[in-house]
Amino acid sequence: MKVLGIESSCDETGVAVYDSDSGQIWQRLYSQVEKHREYGGVVPELASRDHVVKAAPLMGEILDEIGGIDAVDAIAYTRGPGLIGALMVGANLARGLAWALDKPVLGVHHMEGHLLAPMLSAEQPELPFVALLVSGGHTLLVDVRALGDYRILGESLDDAVGEAFDKTAKLMGLPYPGGPQLAALADSVAQSRFEFPRPMTNRPGLDFSFSGLKTAALNIVRQHEPLDDKLRAEIAFAFQQAVVDTLRIKCKRALDETGYQSLVIAGGVGANRRLREVLEKLGKAQNTRIYFPALEYCTDNGAMIAYAGALRLLRGQTDDLAGDVLARWSLESLIPI
Ligand code: KG4
Ligand code: ZN
């Protein structure tokens, strides 16, 4: 089955076709980063408008490659969670096509897309597994008992990890989007004179809190302004170390509590080099298999939506044309695949 997937939940327009028979993927990705840079963050209205401009032409390019729209058997799109106006662009394109062509259509949960993304490239993780989902909007530890059967073990009570990276980068004067830049700066030094707290690790439970790290960074910045390059790198190092260490501690706790021996990491922050290193090491120490998506499938993309959609569409799951898009949507409310 060839499934067309459309991702438009935030500031990336992703379009892809996934062929469930051959595993082949065709994809296009357009990032709106330049559009939002001067505002220092994503402006929802601008994001929606840019999806309108980019989604159909990107889809046209892919359809040319695969031999036209008739080669597509079904259509998947991101139904939520995300920015409502941005989601509506992909949803309308997908449903309009499905209606015109009389093909099945399905709205996909964005975080399920992330969660299943490692399966696009790595070997299939053994079920059950713990998933660490770390993106700009979410920080979740999930008990994945079966595909589509999710129980939230822990989540951030305030900022998501990616958000904390981006906000800290901003207050250090790094250009938007700051997360990857902050990470690169942190990786440019081997140590730091600063030590940040590991929030919520000294009490039981699997929830997170990252907003305090941003405040800790702000206090250091204020004390040391104007910042030179070395100081900036050392703050970045201490911040990244604290985030990664906190995630490691909670992943270990989740593995110990569930007794599972597979850990899947997904979402934009899954591209973080230090996080990948530290969790690989945890895997060795715990006798646990660690699965990361390929770097290109860590951040938002259409392939993960086409893939998650394909798994469900193959089981006969479809939406009717009157569905809505969802700014918030719990993973726990999904039906098993
Ligand atoms: O999954 P994603 O593309 O979009 C959301 O669904 O939110 O994640 C984007 C987030 C941003 O906050 C970005 O700063 C962060 O992932 N990110 C990183 C890295 N690459 C992307 N954070 C830390 N280190 C990285 N290498
Ligand atoms: Zn995402």
Side-chain angles (χ1 to χ4, degrees), residues 159-169 182 210-211 214 239 243:
D159 291 350
V161 186
E163 189 180 1
F165 261 94
D166 294 339
K167 286 180 175 170
T168 303
L182 181 70
F210 291 105
S211 66
K214 178 188 63 196
F239 171 84
V243 170

Side-chain angles (χ1 to χ4, degrees), residues 113-129:
H114 276 304
L115 197 155
L116 301 179
M119 298 186 186
L120 282 166
S121 39
E123 57 203 299
Q124 306 293 304
E126 234 169 84
L127 285 158
F129 58 79

Side-chain angles (χ1 to χ4, degrees), residues 60-276:
E61 286 178 27
I62 292 184
L63 294 181
D64 282 348
E65 275 179 30
I66 65 163
I69 189 72
D70 288 339
V72 170
D73 299 301
I75 300 156
Y77 64 93
T78 306
R79 185 179 174 206
L83 304 170
I84 284 292
L87 290 165
M88 280 165 64
V89 179
N92 271 330
L93 184 59
R95 291 203 192 130
L97 269 178
W99 176 72
L101 301 166
D102 196 22
K103 302 208 172 177
V105 64
L106 183 70
V108 169
H109 194 295
H110 180 80
M111 297 313 291
E112 180 171 70
H114 276 304
L115 197 155
L116 301 179
M119 298 186 186
L120 282 166
S121 39
E123 57 203 299
Q124 306 293 304
E126 234 169 84
L127 285 158
F129 58 79
V130 171
L132 173 70
L133 302 182
V134 274
S135 72
H138 295 85
T139 304
L140 295 170
L141 269 168
V142 188
D143 172 356
V144 182
R145 292 171 283 203
L147 294 185
D149 181 2
Y150 309 123
R151 186 169 60 97
I152 307 297
L153 298 169
E155 61 193 320
S156 177
L157 305 178
D158 42 56
D159 291 350
V161 186
E163 189 180 1
F165 261 94
D166 294 339
K167 286 180 175 170
T168 303
K170 193 173 175 179
L171 66 86
M172 284 170 59
L174 298 173
Y176 169 85
Q181 305 223 25
L182 181 70
L185 201 57
D187 290 347
S188 72
V189 289
Q191 57 192 21
S192 171
R193 76 195 82 163
F194 307 110
E195 175 88 10
F196 283 40
R198 273 62 170 156
M200 296 182 71
T201 53
N202 56 3
R203 54 178 133 148
L206 292 166
D207 286 335
F208 303 93
S209 165
F210 291 105
S211 66
L213 292 180
K214 178 188 63 196
T215 314
L218 183 62
N219 289 338
I220 294 176
V221 168
R222 287 208 174 122
Q223 282 160 21
H224 292 84
E225 264 170 340
L227 302 182
D228 61 24
D229 287 349
K230 181 151 187 296
L231 205 79
R232 209 177 260 126
E234 286 189 35
I235 298 171
F237 181 96
F239 171 84
Q240 176 172 272
Q241 191 84 332
V243 170
V244 168
D245 209 30
T246 303
L247 293 173
R248 176 189 61 78
I249 292 166
K250 295 288 166 98
C251 282
K252 179 177 183 321
R253 209 175 274 179
L255 289 165
D256 289 343
E257 279 182 19
T258 56
Y260 296 171
Q261 285 181 318
S262 307
L263 175 67
V264 166
I265 295 96
V269 185
N272 185 277
R273 202 189 55 80
R274 183 83 190 123
L275 180 67
R276 292 172 92 100

Side-chain angles (χ1 to χ4, degrees), residues 9 44 55 90 136 155 169 180 217 283 304 315 325:
S9 66
E155 61 193 320
M304 69 185 195
R315 303 287 186 288
V325 290

Side-chain angles (χ1 to χ4, degrees), residues 6-13 32 35-36 41-52 77-92 108 110-111 135-138 163 176 300 324-329:
I6 302 172
E7 156 62 32
S8 70
S9 66
C10 192
D11 61 343
E12 244 97 26
T13 317
Q32 304 177 350
K35 279 257 175 319
H36 302 289
V42 178
V43 182
E45 179 70 15
L46 293 183
S48 315
R49 288 197 216 170
D50 215 22
H51 287 308
V52 171
Y77 64 93
T78 306
R79 185 179 174 206
L83 304 170
I84 284 292
L87 290 165
M88 280 165 64
V89 179
N92 271 330
V108 169
H110 180 80
M111 297 313 291
S135 72
H138 295 85
E163 189 180 1
Y176 169 85
D300 292 350
D324 54 357
V325 290
L326 302 168
R328 291 171 169 276
W329 186 7

